[in-house]
Amino acid sequence: MAVSPQPPRAPQVVQRVKVGLTGLAIVLLLIVLASVLVRSVGHERAVAASGASRADLAGNLAQVNAADSASEPLAEIGVAPSGQGNDLAGSAPGRPAR
């Protein structure tokens, strides 16, 4: 003889719903907390330690170096000839310009 399962009583249903909603609220709270922590870590300014490099100075130096070079990075490292002095007017007669 098979015994049919009894339907859950009203107090049991209410308790199960409360436990489920509480679990969902905790998971949502953990996700929001993790998101806030990740965002705050990404937006913090780095603390300059004694003797550490400073990014603002390095950026300024890079801008000065970029302005000094005639935008010829290959010529700067010696891989290709530079474009300075390659005009034909400044070359000696009878010799091709380099």
Side-chain angles (χ1 to χ4, degrees), residues 5-90:
Q6 296 180 353
R9 298 182 189 152
Q12 288 177 341
V13 171
V14 171
Q15 182 184 6
R16 286 182 180 180
V17 169
K18 284 182 182 178
V19 169
L21 290 177
T22 303
L24 286 174
I26 289 172
V27 168
L28 181 65
L29 183 66
L30 288 174
I31 290 172
V32 168
L33 181 65
S35 175
V36 167
L37 288 175
V38 167
R39 285 187 182 180
S40 69
V41 169
H43 288 22
E44 285 184 5
R45 291 187 64 191
V47 177
S50 176
S53 64
R54 293 185 45 193
D56 57 342
L57 292 178
N60 290 340
L61 290 174
Q63 289 175 352
V64 169
N65 288 340
D68 287 344
S69 68
S71 73
E72 295 186 24
L74 294 177
E76 194 173 298
I77 61 173
V79 176
S82 68
Q84 298 174 351
N86 281 348
D87 55 347
L88 292 174

Side-chain angles (χ1 to χ4, degrees), residues 88 91-97:
L88 292 174
S91 64
R95 296 175 115 183

